[in-house]
Amino acid sequence: MFVKSFCIQRCRIDRWETGSRLHNEDIRAIDWIREYSKERSRLRHLAAGSPGWVRQMRLAADSSQVWCILVLTGIAVGSIAAGIDVASDWLGDLKQGVCGNVAHGGKFYLARPFCCWGAPYAECADWRSWSVILGASSSFSRFTVDYFFFLAISLVCASCASVLVIQYSPEAKQSGIPEIKTLLGGFIMHRFLGVRTLVIKSLGLCLAVASGMWLGKEGPLVHVACCCANVLMRFSPGINENEARKRATLSAAAASGISVAFGAPIGGVLFSLEQLSHYFPDKTMWASFVCATVAAVTLQALDPFRTGKLVLYQVTYHSGWHMFELVPFVLIGILGGFWGVAFIVLNMRFHRTRASTTYIFRNRPVAEVAAVALLTAVVSFPISFLRAQSSELVEMLFAECRDIHNDHLGLCKAGVANTGVIFLLLFSAGIGLALAAITFGLEIPAGILLPSMAVGALYGRAIGLVVEAWQRQQPHLLFFGSCEPDQPCVTPGTYAVVGAAAALAGTTRMTVSIVVIMFELTGALTYVLPIMVAVMVAKWVADAFGKQGIYETWISFRNYPFLDQRMDEGVGGDLLVRRIMTPYSALACIPSTGETAGSLRRLLVNSNVRGFPVIISHVKPTLLGYISRNHLEWSLGRDIQDDTPCFVQEQPTEDTIGLDLKPWVDETPITLSPHVPFHLVRDLFDRLGVRHVLFTEQGTLAGLLTKKDLCHLLDSAET
Amino acid sequence: MFVKSFCIQRCRIDRWETGSRLHNEDIRAIDWIREYSKERSRLRHLAAGSPGWVRQMRLAADSSQVWCILVLTGIAVGSIAAGIDVASDWLGDLKQGVCGNVAHGGKFYLARPFCCWGAPYAECADWRSWSVILGASSSFSRFTVDYFFFLAISLVCASCASVLVIQYSPEAKQSGIPEIKTLLGGFIMHRFLGVRTLVIKSLGLCLAVASGMWLGKEGPLVHVACCCANVLMRFSPGINENEARKRATLSAAAASGISVAFGAPIGGVLFSLEQLSHYFPDKTMWASFVCATVAAVTLQALDPFRTGKLVLYQVTYHSGWHMFELVPFVLIGILGGFWGVAFIVLNMRFHRTRASTTYIFRNRPVAEVAAVALLTAVVSFPISFLRAQSSELVEMLFAECRDIHNDHLGLCKAGVANTGVIFLLLFSAGIGLALAAITFGLEIPAGILLPSMAVGALYGRAIGLVVEAWQRQQPHLLFFGSCEPDQPCVTPGTYAVVGAAAALAGTTRMTVSIVVIMFELTGALTYVLPIMVAVMVAKWVADAFGKQGIYETWISFRNYPFLDQRMDEGVGGDLLVRRIMTPYSALACIPSTGETAGSLRRLLVNSNVRGFPVIISHVKPTLLGYISRNHLEWSLGRDIQDDTPCFVQEQPTEDTIGLDLKPWVDETPITLSPHVPFHLVRDLFDRLGVRHVLFTEQGTLAGLLTKKDLCHLLDSAET
């Protein structure tokens, strides 16, 4: 049985059973159960017929392959992330100036922090802005020159990134998370994880981040990590040829992307578990953890920022929080929920507009990216908060004022109730929302996590400043009773962290991973409770407007087939399966006798389904099994003549003439009663990972339901 | 369909289908699928027939119940843990002396650290040992008096704990983790999570920890946390009456036990995910995280040790590790694996001896505990490392020498190559192994995590001291090339941490949770890599001798039914289901016609199975459905006479006389082909959580397999 199913499996390349409602013909579902069987029989073959210790050695060598792949992936991801950090920082700083005397080719290869290492920000003589280099004299001409270079370099970076992606690897565009979610959910997407995608996405990401557009590198880094693992997997046939093992390895690798993006290995593992992975057993968790940690340690060893910190915006606070602060924290949570909803709605509206024929940039994706980049640069340059790169902005917003030595953003100006700063923070948050909504989804590598964090940090810090000013003005209010007199009581930086967490929760609807990522960023249990409260409130508020986060929304928008595990209640409550299955009368079935090779060939031509139930006869449709299109095509090889009788024999006897299809028929398809409730079928697809279910009533075929039908049904029910 | 299944469910109290191979008649399996249906229909009933906002409010109120329960559980667990910490510390210190002038009733209620707050350990005048209080003069009599009190108080504490447990709540004995694993795997155990168990386990735990025996409070705290949640759940009928929701809530609560035991909320969540829980969706993870964090924050707010640290043995290191140290770390990992195997083998051997009739303490559990406590005390008193409480010992072993201000254990004596200390550490580790092996499983609340950590820390520190001494003696060896000259290079405390992690991995076979717990204890990413390497090596070494950790071993030993998800490969590879199912010929089936109430009553009396397949007739055994024993008993109520014909009607007509069993028959049982491979059935039981599977061939009943049969089959295949 096993050997047979193994052999058959090798030649079987199933595609979708019913292609009728299909938009993405390239996407195929995998059958987890068959893949696991394949792996089991492969292991048995590997171990068979050898003495004990040889078998042990072989099995050990085989299972060590996946660890080698993961460790190498971790090292590769850590190194790539360090490279992207260094390159995008240098390119980004180039927008404002150059290190050293550029005419004599000074240390132009240094980014601003290294050029001015140790010196105060304003007094760094080595760093020259473009206006200084070109010798602009008046303050107006200085402003113009700097503005021009800022715009020009932003534009060039963004356009290059877009051209790279569109020309060489369209799969490398956008964040890649919706695609990875679909892929890990058990579907096959071609060319999505190749070498070319890896290279283009990495290069494009440097340029995109440097362009200063409202995008992050977190999502794309997850994609890069999966590409690394996928490329390395090609050296191990045992993994590469098994779609289920491939997915387990990719789940593990995905964690390393988030690990290096946020310096949060555990956060990465939980992100993979909570957001990405369909099936995540213990073993995958450990693999994931190993990969994430190796990546983080590699990044720390390379230390691209030369700060000893894993990521730029890692912080430590000097004081705790007070109970009364829970009130602003809840407010921040509510705003985070609204941000998430507003962002998703605006983003979707923009992308629906893009699809219309009157859209000006229709079929001009590079021009579109350039226009958005130009708009971003035009708006950002005059506003100090927006001129900085997102990661630098977030770092500043998270920090306590006493830790900020180079306050070039003007965040910590003296004086109580600095309404100017508060207004500017809120204004920047608004601009950020608008820009993020039009940027996410363009033809450029672009993530949404860092922009969300930046917006959250902006409005969070604004609220923090308001509370701080209020407390300083009226320290004797009962509300502020727990503050010590004449001591700073409110730390606006913590509000920024809480705001960032709340905004992330609103956008992605994750919970644990966000709290853990923030916990690893701040390194103290102290702030876990406020972050948790804000995340929970943000999720509640956002969920009240619709359960789907940005990634699920994009999965629906793109029409990817995907079974969302979180859509647990509601849909199809009272539905009985017999209402939604394709009924027997509409199915193309093969009777066990009476067919010829010719009639079967005609059947293949006339129907586009991916497989056929086999029944005793049309008069008595008792289910005998299921034969896939490919098996049928295979069995009807060229040298079989059209008039050869084909049959499925119950008891093989040697004297029958014709073609016995029995060896190609799967005789144990999963069957259910058509009277079972809908959720049971859903559980079967979701938890067992089957690709199709046949329905029988006392042995008689009643209908068929495929995973993709179910996905589309759920999708249409939701939207 | 739903309403019916809901109503039927309410009266149905299924027990095991086949009781034949059963040792624990009290343990019943739950049917996850039915429980989820129940919950779905409950929610629909709750929301039905109200206007939109009333429905929303009702649903919100309903779903907030679980959060209230979890937050309250967190607060309760944090408070109980603080209470246990304070009480057991005070009681434990009582073995060595009393604070203040006991005759005048001084501050006797203070444990030693509070009595001597701020003063060096040796110079604390307020703390009086028993010999000082009783005025012993000679050094011999001082030793004797102190020894006597040490023995006596140990003995009293241990005996009291044992008497408490045996007299008032036998469920409170031991660690409780194997039982919780079984319970969360989908089985019902009575009285295991009641108020009485909660109180007795908490009190017993204080006494047991204070007795100085080789046991920890981590496992029992998980049990306590589950008891808290279970007691609080009784106030919410919606959760209390649904076994699946109950399990989700308990999974979440379990995390808080580990959270307060190690001060590691994320570690707790991952422990629950990796070790305990059968089914752990996203929602449970977030619930678990909330509960664990609330518990940790409560404990931190109560601050029982007045150190500001969450647990006693939280540490921070001043320096990193060097590449060459990976060699000793791997050695530590190997030893950790061996420790795990040795502990499990010794523990099992001891408990098999206990079952023999010639065992001296047979049926005298209190005497047995007292004897072990006495033995522990006799051995421990002369050895400074063992005299300390486990948590204090671990704290000392983890610390860097420069951070230890009160070195009363003599761990940091000056001088290179202190062979005495090294020998004593290794000797203590050996004693620890022996004592832990006979202590775990006695009739007393006792966990194994802290003893494992202590043994690991002991031998880890010993290896650290060896490496340190070697490096100091021969600093110019190439091996030590990465050390800076004249600087301390090796930190023995880190070896203790790595050793503790390795020993934990050897005992429990967990991976991620251990690393995360250690990460949260040391708070630095720096040491994650060595810990990871040691844990991985320990797991590999231990797994080479047998895949089962201590908890799984106990589950087998106790004959609890449990489907171990980790036993993925190997067992039953080539097996076809038809070889292991109960075949049709051996099943008691009910035909659709021809039975009378009397014949069915006889059937109920003559068979002990928990349900019956319903077939058309014995001649044509086409499966119609399945009726459980309870439903059958219910339908054959008293007022039905023995000669009433009973039947299962296909098409209900009103003019038939007799009892139609159809309303009680489950017409959509899960069926499979008897030719499916074994692992598919296993996946079905494991992932869908069904309780029994019927096998049909073209509609004809072929056999039946229950979850418990499968558990026992797997169990016997492994041992």
Side-chain angles (χ1 to χ4, degrees):
Chain A
M1 167 66 208
F2 264 98
V3 181
K4 194 191 102 188
S5 108
F6 178 65
C7 298
I8 291 180
Q9 204 55 39
R10 293 292 300 264
C11 10
R12 185 197 271 196
I13 316 161
D14 275 339
R15 289 213 173 73
W16 277 106
E17 269 74 32
T18 55
S20 51
R21 305 184 211 171
L22 201 48
H23 295 263
N24 304 282
E25 282 290 347
D26 251 8
I27 302 178
R28 296 170 3 212
I30 68 163
D31 189 330
W32 294 85
I33 292 193
R34 300 281 162 196
E35 298 292 323
Y36 287 124
S37 307
K38 236 168 87 177
E39 175 62 12
R40 283 196 182 84
S41 62
R42 191 186 68 84
L43 283 178
R44 251 197 310 285
H45 278 264
L46 195 74
S50 316
W53 66 271
V54 175
R55 198 168 60 211
Q56 289 297 325
M57 291 296 290
R58 271 201 199 156
L59 287 174
D62 186 69
S63 66
S64 69
Q65 285 178 2
V66 66
W67 297 107
C68 295
I69 289 173
L70 287 174
V71 169
L72 290 175
T73 302
I75 294 173
V77 173
S79 314
I80 292 175
I84 291 176
D85 282 344
V86 170
S88 62
D89 267 23
W90 178 77
L91 264 173
D93 284 344
L94 204 62
K95 287 186 296 189
Q96 300 192 35
V98 162
C99 188
N101 190 332
V102 78
H104 298 90
K107 301 175 196 164
F108 69 90
Y109 52 85
L110 289 182
R112 180 156 189 156
F114 297 111
C115 189
C116 307
W117 198 250
Y121 191 89
E123 297 163 24
C124 174
D126 272 351
W127 182 261
R128 287 145 188 259
S129 66
W130 291 108
S131 54
V132 172
I133 293 170
L134 297 181
S137 53
S138 74
S139 98
F140 177 75
S141 65
R142 273 205 301 276
F143 179 80
T144 317
V145 169
D146 282 341
Y147 206 162
F148 173 77
F149 273 93
F150 191 85
L151 297 186
I153 297 176
S154 295
L155 203 61
V156 170
C157 285
S159 311
C160 288
S162 184
V163 169
L164 260 182
V165 166
I166 291 164
Q167 282 288 318
Y168 299 102
S169 175
E171 291 79 20
K173 71 183 177 186
Q174 300 171 355
S175 102
I177 303 260
E179 286 79 12
I180 292 172
K181 270 192 89 151
T182 310
L183 201 138
L184 294 180
F187 294 90
I188 296 174
M189 297 170 107
H190 286 293
R191 293 178 305 277
F192 185 68
L193 295 175
V195 180
R196 187 188 278 243
T197 312
L198 171 60
V199 173
I200 298 298
K201 191 127 195 177
S202 305
L203 290 179
L205 194 53
C206 294
L207 291 164
V209 169
S211 77
M213 290 169 77
W214 273 76
L215 47 81
K217 60 179 163 38
E218 290 69 22
L221 273 176
V222 171
H223 188 180
V224 165
C226 287
C227 288
C228 285
N230 192 51
V231 170
L232 288 166
M233 269 192 278
R234 292 186 189 159
F235 300 101
S236 162
I239 300 171
N240 200 40
E241 286 170 14
N242 190 298
E243 295 296 336
R245 282 191 78 192
K246 231 170 159 171
R247 269 153 194 76
T249 316
L250 288 177
S251 295
S256 64
I258 293 294
S259 167
V260 290
F262 291 113
I266 307 172
V269 174
L270 293 179
F271 179 87
S272 174
L273 172 60
E274 192 178 359
Q275 179 64 265
L276 298 178
S277 301
H278 173 78
Y279 178 57
F280 202 91
D282 285 0
K283 253 187 205 164
T284 307
M285 189 155 84
W286 176 234
S288 178
F289 188 73
V290 169
C291 188
T293 312
V294 170
V297 169
T298 306
L299 183 62
Q300 197 167 41
L302 294 174
D303 200 5
F305 304 115
R306 295 283 175 268
T307 53
K309 291 196 286 186
L310 210 51
V311 285
L312 206 52
Y313 34 96
Q314 218 167 342
V315 272
T316 324
Y317 294 113
H318 306 285
S319 54
W321 54 280
H322 305 84
M323 280 306 277
F324 76 86
E325 293 187 284
L326 279 181
V327 177
F329 290 152
V330 166
L331 178 67
I332 289 174
I334 294 174
L335 284 177
F338 281 123
W339 139 261
V341 173
F343 168 73
I344 293 175
V345 168
L346 288 178
N347 187 245
M348 275 301 114
R349 194 159 290 178
F350 174 62
H351 283 284
R352 293 220 178 84
T353 315
R354 281 181 77 205
S356 77
T357 45
T358 55
Y359 181 60
I360 186 166
F361 293 116
R362 195 172 157 84
N363 299 326
R364 290 184 204 126
V366 178
E368 186 181 28
V369 168
V372 172
L374 191 65
L375 177 67
T376 309
V378 168
V379 174
S380 301
F381 187 79
I383 304 167
S384 61
F385 295 136
L386 300 179
R387 197 190 307 170
Q389 293 208 41
S390 308
S391 58
E392 198 190 346
L393 173 64
V394 170
E395 181 195 12
M396 288 286 185
L397 292 170
F398 280 8
E400 268 191 70
C401 268
R402 63 167 124 161
D403 293 332
I404 300 181
H405 304 301
N406 300 320
D407 184 23
H408 58 283
L409 302 186
L411 200 58
C412 295
K413 285 180 192 152
V416 177
N418 195 329
T419 30
V421 173
I422 294 171
F423 174 75
L424 205 58
L425 285 169
L426 290 176
F427 183 70
S428 307
I431 299 271
L433 167 59
L435 290 176
I438 60 171
T439 308
F440 186 74
L442 295 182
E443 314 272 300
I444 189 172
I448 187 56
L449 299 186
L450 194 57
S452 295
M453 282 175 74
V455 170
L458 281 167
Y459 79 73
R461 182 122 193 166
I463 291 173
L465 285 174
V466 170
V467 175
E468 188 187 29
W470 187 19
Q471 191 269 334
R472 281 205 200 157
Q473 279 185 331
Q474 300 183 302
H476 304 298
L477 275 185
L478 192 63
F479 188 62
F480 300 119
S482 54
C483 288
E484 283 174 47
D486 306 322
Q487 288 278 320
C489 179
V490 174
T491 314
T494 60
Y495 288 69
V497 170
V498 172
L504 272 181
T507 319
T508 62
R509 311 296 158 83
M510 296 189 295
T511 49
V512 190
S513 351
I514 294 173
V515 181
V516 172
I517 287 171
M518 291 296 164
F519 170 74
E520 290 187 272
L521 280 180
T522 60
L525 192 59
T526 330
Y527 289 99
V528 169
L529 203 65
I531 292 171
M532 225 163 69
V533 168
V535 165
M536 196 182 249
V537 171
K539 192 176 153 63
W540 278 341
V541 169
D543 277 354
F545 292 90
K547 289 264 178 198
Q548 289 188 318
I550 182 71
Y551 299 130
E552 291 83 39
T553 309
W554 268 84
I555 288 176
S556 306
F557 182 65
R558 281 284 166 86
N559 254 315
Y560 294 141
F562 182 73
L563 266 187
D564 195 342
Q565 285 169 296
R566 281 187 279 183
M567 302 280 167
D568 211 15
E569 288 101 30
V571 179
D574 283 313
L575 218 59
L576 286 189
V577 171
R578 94 195 115 151
R579 302 247 184 94
I580 54 167
M581 69 185 181
T582 314
Y584 165 66
S585 54
L587 284 174
C589 298
I590 298 179
S592 61
T593 50
E595 296 281 337
T596 62
S599 69
L600 289 179
R601 283 192 182 120
R602 275 194 300 282
L603 182 68
L604 281 171
V605 171
N606 292 335
S607 73
N608 63 347
V609 296
R610 306 301 321 165
F612 307 90
V614 178
I615 52 179
I616 289 185
S617 70
H618 286 297
V619 182
K620 190 193 174 196
T622 301
L623 183 72
L624 292 180
Y626 182 87
I627 186 164
S628 77
R629 184 182 196 92
N630 294 70
H631 283 138
L632 191 57
E633 281 173 355
W634 176 272
S635 61
L636 300 169
R638 277 187 202 166
D639 34 319
I640 293 172
Q641 289 189 332
D642 263 2
D643 56 356
T644 316
C646 294
F647 43 80
V648 181
Q649 265 188 318
E650 273 301 285
Q651 298 292 333
T653 50
E654 284 184 19
D655 56 341
T656 43
I657 302 155
L659 178 66
D660 187 359
L661 293 173
K662 195 169 186 202
W664 286 275
V665 172
D666 172 11
E667 289 165 283
T668 56
I670 304 254
T671 57
L672 282 178
S673 154
H675 305 289
V676 294
F678 175 72
H679 67 89
L680 177 64
V681 182
R682 197 200 158 109
D683 279 351
L684 208 69
F685 278 108
D686 190 26
R687 298 208 198 140
L688 285 186
V690 298
R691 196 161 36 180
H692 57 261
V693 170
L694 290 158
F695 296 94
T696 57
E697 234 178 328
Q698 295 174 25
T700 306
L701 179 65
L704 171 81
L705 188 70
T706 68
K707 189 169 176 183
K708 208 159 182 179
D709 285 345
L710 186 72
C711 290
H712 285 292
L713 182 84
L714 289 176
D715 209 39
S716 59
E718 274 148 23
T719 49
Chain B
M1 168 67 207
F2 262 99
V3 181
K4 193 190 102 188
S5 108
F6 178 64
C7 297
I8 291 180
Q9 204 56 38
R10 294 291 301 263
C11 11
R12 187 198 268 192
I13 316 161
D14 274 340
R15 288 216 173 70
W16 277 104
E17 268 73 34
T18 55
S20 52
R21 306 184 211 169
L22 201 49
H23 296 264
N24 304 282
E25 282 290 347
D26 251 8
I27 303 179
R28 295 169 5 209
I30 68 163
D31 189 330
W32 294 85
I33 292 192
R34 301 278 161 199
E35 298 291 325
Y36 287 124
S37 308
K38 234 167 87 178
E39 174 62 11
R40 283 196 183 85
S41 61
R42 191 186 69 84
L43 282 179
R44 251 198 310 285
H45 277 264
L46 195 73
S50 315
W53 66 273
V54 175
R55 196 168 62 213
Q56 288 298 325
M57 291 296 290
R58 270 201 201 156
L59 288 174
D62 186 70
S63 67
S64 69
Q65 285 179 0
V66 67
W67 297 107
C68 294
I69 289 173
L70 288 173
V71 168
L72 290 175
T73 302
I75 294 172
V77 172
S79 314
I80 292 175
I84 290 176
D85 282 344
V86 170
S88 62
D89 268 23
W90 178 76
L91 263 173
D93 284 342
L94 203 64
K95 289 187 294 191
Q96 299 192 35
V98 162
C99 188
N101 190 334
V102 78
H104 298 93
K107 302 175 194 161
F108 68 92
Y109 52 84
L110 289 182
R112 178 155 189 156
F114 297 110
C115 189
C116 308
W117 198 249
Y121 191 88
E123 296 163 24
C124 174
D126 270 352
W127 182 259
R128 285 145 190 260
S129 67
W130 291 107
S131 54
V132 173
I133 292 168
L134 296 181
S137 52
S138 75
S139 98
F140 176 74
S141 65
R142 273 205 299 275
F143 180 81
T144 317
V145 168
D146 283 340
Y147 207 163
F148 172 77
F149 272 92
F150 192 85
L151 296 187
I153 296 176
S154 295
L155 203 62
V156 170
C157 285
S159 311
C160 287
S162 183
V163 168
L164 259 182
V165 165
I166 292 164
Q167 282 289 319
Y168 298 101
S169 174
E171 291 79 19
K173 71 183 176 186
Q174 301 171 356
S175 103
I177 302 260
E179 286 80 11
I180 291 172
K181 269 191 90 149
T182 311
L183 201 137
L184 294 181
F187 295 90
I188 297 173
M189 297 170 107
H190 286 292
R191 294 178 305 279
F192 185 67
L193 296 175
V195 180
R196 187 188 279 243
T197 311
L198 170 61
V199 173
I200 298 298
K201 191 125 194 179
S202 306
L203 290 179
L205 194 53
C206 294
L207 291 164
V209 170
S211 77
M213 290 169 77
W214 273 76
L215 47 82
K217 61 178 162 39
E218 289 71 20
L221 272 177
V222 172
H223 187 180
V224 165
C226 287
C227 288
C228 285
N230 192 52
V231 170
L232 287 166
M233 269 191 277
R234 292 185 190 161
F235 299 101
S236 162
I239 300 170
N240 201 40
E241 286 170 13
N242 190 297
E243 295 296 338
R245 283 192 80 192
K246 229 169 160 171
R247 267 151 196 78
T249 315
L250 288 177
S251 293
S256 65
I258 294 294
S259 167
V260 291
F262 290 114
I266 307 173
V269 173
L270 294 179
F271 179 88
S272 174
L273 172 60
E274 192 177 0
Q275 179 64 265
L276 296 178
S277 300
H278 173 79
Y279 178 58
F280 203 90
D282 285 1
K283 253 186 205 166
T284 307
M285 190 156 84
W286 175 235
S288 179
F289 188 73
V290 169
C291 188
T293 312
V294 169
V297 169
T298 306
L299 183 60
Q300 197 167 40
L302 294 174
D303 199 5
F305 303 114
R306 295 282 174 268
T307 53
K309 293 195 286 188
L310 210 51
V311 285
L312 206 51
Y313 34 95
Q314 218 168 340
V315 271
T316 323
Y317 293 114
H318 307 285
S319 55
W321 55 278
H322 304 85
M323 279 307 277
F324 76 86
E325 292 187 286
L326 279 181
V327 177
F329 290 152
V330 166
L331 178 67
I332 288 175
I334 295 173
L335 284 177
F338 281 122
W339 138 262
V341 173
F343 167 73
I344 292 174
V345 167
L346 287 179
N347 186 246
M348 276 301 114
R349 194 158 290 178
F350 174 63
H351 282 284
R352 291 219 180 82
T353 315
R354 280 181 77 205
S356 78
T357 44
T358 55
Y359 180 61
I360 186 166
F361 292 116
R362 194 174 157 82
N363 298 327
R364 291 184 202 127
V366 178
E368 186 181 28
V369 169
V372 173
L374 191 65
L375 177 67
T376 309
V378 168
V379 175
S380 301
F381 186 79
I383 304 168
S384 61
F385 296 136
L386 300 179
R387 197 191 306 171
Q389 293 208 42
S390 307
S391 57
E392 198 188 346
L393 172 65
V394 170
E395 180 195 12
M396 287 287 185
L397 292 170
F398 279 9
E400 267 190 72
C401 268
R402 62 167 125 161
D403 292 332
I404 299 181
H405 304 300
N406 301 319
D407 184 24
H408 58 282
L409 302 185
L411 200 59
C412 295
K413 283 179 191 154
V416 177
N418 196 330
T419 29
V421 173
I422 294 170
F423 173 76
L424 205 58
L425 285 168
L426 290 175
F427 183 69
S428 305
I431 299 270
L433 169 59
L435 290 176
I438 58 171
T439 308
F440 186 74
L442 294 183
E443 314 272 299
I444 188 173
I448 187 57
L449 299 185
L450 195 57
S452 295
M453 283 175 74
V455 170
L458 281 167
Y459 79 73
R461 183 122 194 167
I463 291 175
L465 286 174
V466 170
V467 176
E468 186 188 30
W470 189 18
Q471 190 270 334
R472 281 204 200 159
Q473 278 185 333
Q474 301 184 302
H476 304 297
L477 273 184
L478 191 64
F479 187 63
F480 300 118
S482 53
C483 288
E484 284 174 46
D486 305 322
Q487 287 279 319
C489 180
V490 175
T491 314
T494 61
Y495 287 70
V497 170
V498 172
L504 271 181
T507 319
T508 61
R509 310 295 158 82
M510 295 188 297
T511 50
V512 191
S513 355
I514 294 173
V515 181
V516 172
I517 287 170
M518 291 296 165
F519 170 75
E520 291 187 272
L521 278 179
T522 60
L525 192 59
T526 329
Y527 289 98
V528 168
L529 202 66
I531 292 170
M532 225 163 68
V533 168
V535 164
M536 197 182 249
V537 170
K539 192 175 153 65
W540 278 340
V541 170
D543 277 353
F545 291 90
K547 289 263 177 196
Q548 290 188 316
I550 182 70
Y551 299 130
E552 290 82 42
T553 310
W554 268 84
I555 286 176
S556 306
F557 182 65
R558 281 282 166 86
N559 254 314
Y560 294 140
F562 182 72
L563 265 186
D564 195 341
Q565 284 169 296
R566 282 188 277 186
M567 300 281 167
D568 210 16
E569 287 100 32
V571 179
D574 283 314
L575 216 59
L576 287 189
V577 171
R578 93 196 116 154
R579 302 248 184 93
I580 53 168
M581 68 185 181
T582 315
Y584 165 66
S585 55
L587 284 174
C589 299
I590 298 180
S592 61
T593 50
E595 295 280 338
T596 61
S599 69
L600 289 179
R601 284 193 180 118
R602 275 195 299 281
L603 182 69
L604 281 172
V605 171
N606 293 335
S607 74
N608 62 349
V609 295
R610 307 299 322 161
F612 307 90
V614 178
I615 53 180
I616 290 184
S617 70
H618 286 297
V619 182
K620 190 193 175 197
T622 301
L623 184 71
L624 293 180
Y626 182 87
I627 187 165
S628 77
R629 184 183 197 92
N630 293 69
H631 284 139
L632 191 58
E633 280 174 354
W634 176 272
S635 59
L636 300 170
R638 276 187 204 167
D639 34 319
I640 293 172
Q641 290 189 331
D642 263 1
D643 55 357
T644 315
C646 295
F647 44 80
V648 180
Q649 264 187 320
E650 273 301 283
Q651 298 292 333
T653 50
E654 283 183 21
D655 57 339
T656 44
I657 302 155
L659 178 67
D660 186 359
L661 292 174
K662 194 167 187 201
W664 286 276
V665 172
D666 171 11
E667 288 167 283
T668 56
I670 303 255
T671 57
L672 282 178
S673 153
H675 305 290
V676 295
F678 175 72
H679 67 89
L680 177 64
V681 181
R682 199 202 155 104
D683 279 350
L684 208 68
F685 278 109
D686 191 25
R687 298 208 198 140
L688 284 186
V690 297
R691 197 161 37 180
H692 56 260
V693 171
L694 290 159
F695 296 95
T696 57
E697 235 179 327
Q698 295 174 23
T700 306
L701 179 66
L704 171 82
L705 189 69
T706 68
K707 189 168 177 185
K708 208 158 183 179
D709 284 346
L710 187 72
C711 289
H712 285 292
L713 181 85
L714 289 175
D715 210 38
S716 59
E718 274 148 24
T719 48

